Amino acid sequence: MRGSRQMLLNLFCILWLPLLLMAASPSPLASGNYPSAPSLFSGMYKGHTCVGCVLVVSVVEQLAQWHNSTVKAALERLCNYIPEDLQGFCYLLAELYGPHLAELIDREMNADVVCHSLKLCKQDTGQPLCHLYPPPKVGLSTAIRKAKRIMKTSKDLKSIMGFSNLCAFPLLDKLCEKIKYVIRNKLPFEDFDGDKFSTFPTLRGYHWRGRDCNDKNSTVYPGRRPDNWDVKSDSNCNGIWGVDPKDGIPYEEKFCKGADSRGVVLLGDSAGAHFHIPPEWMTVTQMSVKAFANLPMAFTDELDWPQFSEITGFLNSTIGGWTDSLYLRLRRRNRCNHRDLQNISQNAGGWLRTLRTSHLAVTEDSGRWLPWSQSCVPHPSDTLSGGSSANFLDLIKSLSRNQLLDNPAIVVYATIGNDVCNGERDTLAHMTTPKQMLSNVMQALQFLNSHLPKGSHVILTGLVDGRFLWDNLHDRYHPLGQLNKDVTYSQLYSFLNCLQVSPCSGWLTSNETLRNLTSERALQLSNVLKEIARSEKFSNFDIFYMDFPLRQTAAEWRQMGGEPWQLIEPVDGFHPSQIAAALGTNITWQKALHEWPQVLGKENPFNNQIEAIFKDQGGH
Ligand SMILES: [Ca+2]
Ligand SMILES: [Ca+2]
């Protein structure tokens, strides 16, 4: 395992660091002896490579500025911050390629100019030059021409193959396959008994679904009804088992029989998975070893933090705010529900792909490494807009619920934006229509009806009104722009739109008409959900609708003395933040408590006794 862990870390290195390298190396494309594969790298990948390049070059530039150091020293500093396992590699890169990056930056080329001159940002025919920063005084295209001349005179770099070589290790190839599997199927990587529950936290492990308490037995997993009242062992992983010596009654029978036990399942998008890129990773004034300590974990969780999320969170937040969740409240209400959670969410994140696919440009420049790239090219569904109603039909298949053996579940169906969010230039034409929505949701509900135990519940959540994003962020500074007051969210949004990698070009735009039209469609789609909840009946669950509680969340946060922008993720300027997630839980809970209490089940009168006897078994 140790060996494969090391490989895994190397892999992250490949995902995160190659841009340092690429940004520093003159493009060997011209002298390439190998055929390149333009089809693999067109469009989206190109856009993400550009974003990744601008991001990393910006960080290096700002580190040099903040510490008043050379670019070479800034690169070394960055390497020092990165977890120890990755450092040797990072130093090697800094040593090899630092001087070339330095050459451009020292001539005051900004990140846009550097990335364009390295051909990592490319201009599409008939389209403008995409840029994040205000253009240099001489104009962007003049600055790029000048930078390209410098690159030509700069000493040719050997090749980047020593670096790419890591990818060619057979073991790494296999690992790559497995990561691809995890990302595609939303199932745990470490799951020896194949019951879809894991004892490993990341790679869709117990951060996403309750921890397995026996990974050698597929009949033991969270959420099942206890086998023979768990007299001998814990079959449902809630920590409760054995027989009370005083009266010979099994504890499960005594405390959990008729207790209305139920699990919680989220069918969600990147908001439900709780996508988050720590701003400390790109804010040079806050950068430290500590800030990067969570990097390997974050990558193996696809940059999602489901363990702190609104529906299935269960660990104390380490990313600001606090954790509250439907799961935690259900567990508090009935301790028998311990560990019965599943977060089945799909990341929308262009941001993730920016980091995940940044190695592709390496392969682009050296067609030789194509085998790697082919095995790691994201599945076509990854390039769609994450967890939308259409993608849910695929996603839902990773649900684990046995209709005969398991407890009922509360399924929260929450595609809060992806049906109207895409990065296309004609974004309106790519939005889900009300008719498609109806068909997608009905198919998903029919699937659920054939898989959920009787007595389950489904909550449909309406789409968000994303005008909130522009209204509260457009003139504020992005973390990359805080040092020099030169990048606002408005600029970030235009940059992403220009590259066609915006997570939502309908809302993240200065075009007010477009923002309104996007909200209008979102409202139409919410109405479809509302109507389904009103009129459709299913044999195994009842069904409810609630609006996405953004307005109430903002009102509550204001009352607590907060500002609306704090409810939005700072790096992507799009997702709900940790604070928004935690506040949202309470609103959902209160609504259920007052309008549909049957969803939550009874309060278990034995909670204190269970805690007293099984307090050591309560870990997650
Ligand atoms: Ca098991
Ligand atoms: Ca049990």
Side-chain angles (χ1 to χ4, degrees):
M1 275 328 294
R2 172 86 195 130
S4 101
R5 192 176 125 76
Q6 184 58 48
M7 282 299 177
L8 208 61
L9 290 167
N10 285 339
L11 186 67
F12 301 132
C13 200
I14 291 157
L15 297 172
W16 169 248
L17 294 172
L19 289 155
L20 286 179
L21 153 102
M22 292 184 297
S25 68
S27 170
L29 256 190
S31 59
N33 295 325
Y34 307 101
S36 64
S39 60
L40 286 178
F41 309 107
S42 56
M44 216 167 206
Y45 300 125
K46 211 164 68 187
H48 290 134
T49 306
C50 179
V51 176
C53 176
V54 169
L55 195 153
V56 176
V57 175
S58 297
V59 166
V60 173
E61 274 185 340
Q62 292 183 19
L63 271 175
Q65 180 194 342
W66 178 247
H67 296 281
N68 196 18
S69 75
T70 61
V71 170
K72 186 168 181 287
L75 272 167
E76 278 166 12
R77 192 180 291 273
L78 186 61
C79 291
N80 267 319
Y81 292 148
I82 285 167
E84 210 172 296
D85 294 327
L86 305 176
Q87 274 182 3
F89 196 62
C90 187
Y91 282 123
L92 181 75
L93 285 184
E95 192 64 35
L96 277 174
Y97 304 105
H100 300 265
L101 182 54
E103 190 159 3
L104 286 175
I105 295 179
D106 285 344
R107 298 194 195 197
E108 301 196 335
M109 306 284 179
N110 74 23
D112 293 319
V113 177
V114 172
C115 294
H116 272 287
S117 65
L118 297 169
K119 295 182 183 162
L120 293 172
C121 292
K122 288 173 188 164
Q123 185 178 18
D124 285 341
T125 330
Q127 296 298 328
L129 279 164
C130 303
H131 59 94
L132 180 63
Y133 293 88
K137 283 195 193 86
V138 293
L140 191 53
S141 37
T142 311
I144 293 168
R145 271 201 304 278
K146 196 173 149 199
K148 279 183 179 162
R149 275 201 300 277
I150 295 169
M151 294 312 296
K152 270 199 192 115
T153 54
S154 142
K155 176 173 64 167
D156 215 25
L157 275 171
K158 283 289 171 195
S159 79
I160 51 179
M161 291 187 183
F163 168 75
S164 307
N165 228 347
L166 275 174
C167 309
F169 288 136
L171 185 59
L172 208 58
D173 259 1
K174 277 190 197 129
L175 191 66
C176 177
E177 275 300 317
K178 283 177 181 166
I179 287 180
K180 191 174 69 172
Y181 170 85
V182 163
I183 288 173
R184 195 183 289 173
N185 299 307
K186 313 291 177 265
L187 289 172
F189 169 53
E190 307 263 4
D191 176 14
F192 296 104
D193 60 14
D195 60 6
K196 302 188 181 176
F197 295 89
S198 180
T199 57
F200 191 79
T202 62
L203 292 168
R204 296 271 164 174
Y206 69 76
H207 282 168
W208 301 80
R209 298 163 188 248
R211 190 203 295 246
D212 198 354
C213 51
N214 183 345
D215 202 15
K216 288 178 189 146
N217 184 339
S218 64
T219 67
V220 173
Y221 56 87
R224 62 159 295 162
R225 294 199 306 273
D227 179 23
N228 189 27
W229 296 119
D230 282 4
V231 166
K232 293 221 169 69
S233 63
D234 189 7
S235 68
N236 54 7
C237 304
N238 65 359
I240 303 167
W241 62 282
V243 175
D244 188 340
K246 282 185 235 127
D247 49 24
I249 302 172
Y251 287 115
E252 274 275 3
E253 185 176 3
K254 196 176 224 178
F255 297 144
C256 302
K257 188 180 181 183
D260 268 0
S261 298
R262 64 203 54 208
V264 59
V265 177
L266 172 70
L267 204 51
D269 53 20
S270 52
H274 209 30
F275 185 76
H276 166 81
I277 299 178
E280 311 86 76
W281 289 1
M282 55 191 73
T283 314
V284 295
T285 55
Q286 294 168 27
M287 248 181 219
S288 63
V289 170
K290 199 166 161 252
F292 280 101
N294 55 11
L295 190 133
M297 184 185 80
F299 273 120
T300 35
D301 270 337
E302 303 161 48
L303 291 175
D304 296 321
W305 308 73
Q307 68 274 33
F308 310 141
S309 69
E310 177 166 352
I311 305 296
T312 64
F314 61 90
L315 291 178
N316 287 336
S317 168
T318 58
I319 56 173
W322 65 99
T323 303
D324 193 357
S325 75
L326 191 57
Y327 162 72
L328 280 178
R329 291 191 180 217
L330 284 166
R331 182 188 181 279
R332 208 176 303 148
R333 194 171 180 81
N334 176 7
R335 173 62 178 72
C336 301
N337 292 329
H338 182 60
R339 287 196 199 175
D340 193 357
L341 65 100
Q342 294 179 48
N343 188 316
I344 306 172
S345 297
Q346 173 137 329
N347 213 311
W351 280 97
L352 170 59
R353 280 190 302 275
T354 295
L355 300 171
R356 198 204 289 155
T357 63
S358 51
H359 65 285
L360 290 177
V362 173
T363 48
E364 175 183 27
D365 283 349
S366 57
R368 179 168 183 164
W369 303 107
L370 222 61
W372 150 268
S373 67
Q374 277 162 349
S375 71
C376 261
V377 164
H379 187 258
S381 75
D382 287 352
T383 63
L384 296 174
S385 49
S388 67
S389 62
N391 290 349
F392 273 14
L393 298 176
D394 206 33
L395 205 56
I396 204 170
K397 290 177 195 148
S398 72
L399 170 78
S400 174
R401 211 71 184 175
N402 185 307
Q403 222 159 5
L404 300 173
L405 294 179
D406 298 352
N407 279 319
I410 304 171
V411 177
V412 179
Y413 182 104
T415 164
I416 69 167
N418 288 327
D419 284 279
V420 296
C421 285
N422 59 69
E424 307 287 339
R425 290 217 167 84
D426 51 347
T427 178
L428 285 168
H430 288 82
M431 293 177 186
T432 306
T433 65
K435 202 176 153 195
Q436 289 166 336
M437 187 78 176
L438 177 65
S439 157
N440 292 339
V441 178
M442 285 306 292
Q443 282 180 65
L445 292 174
Q446 274 144 14
F447 180 93
L448 288 175
N449 199 39
S450 62
H451 286 78
L452 290 177
K454 204 169 176 56
S456 292
H457 310 274
V458 172
I459 302 173
L460 303 176
T461 307
L463 279 74
V464 72
D465 185 348
R467 286 178 291 195
F468 184 85
L469 303 167
W470 175 269
D471 293 346
N472 288 296
L473 283 188
H474 74 275
D475 54 359
R476 297 188 58 84
Y477 290 113
H478 184 265
L480 276 183
Q482 279 164 11
L483 184 63
N484 296 314
K485 308 270 174 266
D486 55 357
V487 179
T488 62
Y489 283 94
S490 168
Q491 282 162 256
L492 173 76
Y493 296 157
S494 317
F495 179 54
L496 298 178
N497 276 331
C498 178
L499 294 167
Q500 289 181 272
V501 295
S502 171
C504 195
S505 43
W507 275 324
L508 309 183
T509 170
S510 58
N511 181 339
E512 190 183 354
T513 313
L514 186 55
R515 297 200 304 270
N516 289 337
L517 285 170
T518 305
S519 289
E520 195 180 298
R521 176 63 62 86
L523 185 64
Q524 288 167 355
L525 300 184
S526 294
N527 285 336
V528 169
L529 295 169
K530 203 187 276 186
E531 181 55 27
I532 290 173
R534 198 190 62 79
S535 61
E536 297 291 340
K537 295 275 174 285
F538 295 87
S539 52
N540 287 324
F541 54 83
D542 51 9
I543 183 166
F544 304 90
Y545 169 84
M546 70 177 285
D547 285 324
F548 187 86
L550 180 63
R551 207 168 295 171
Q552 291 139 284
T553 306
E556 272 192 28
W557 184 231
R558 263 188 204 287
Q559 269 188 355
M560 293 167 73
E563 303 269 351
W565 58 266
Q566 293 168 309
L567 300 172
I568 308 166
E569 270 297 299
V571 170
D572 59 56
F574 177 60
H575 292 97
S577 68
Q578 182 65 34
I579 293 168
L583 287 170
T585 299
N586 187 44
I587 295 164
T588 306
W589 185 262
Q590 294 303 330
K591 183 169 175 80
L593 208 55
H594 293 114
E595 295 176 31
W596 356 286
Q598 69 270 37
V599 170
L600 306 179
K602 291 184 296 221
E603 183 104 35
N604 190 330
F606 302 109
N607 282 337
N608 290 339
Q609 287 183 57
I610 302 174
E611 273 306 322
I613 299 170
F614 296 102
K615 92 171 163 285
D616 297 337
Q617 314 279 318
H620 282 97

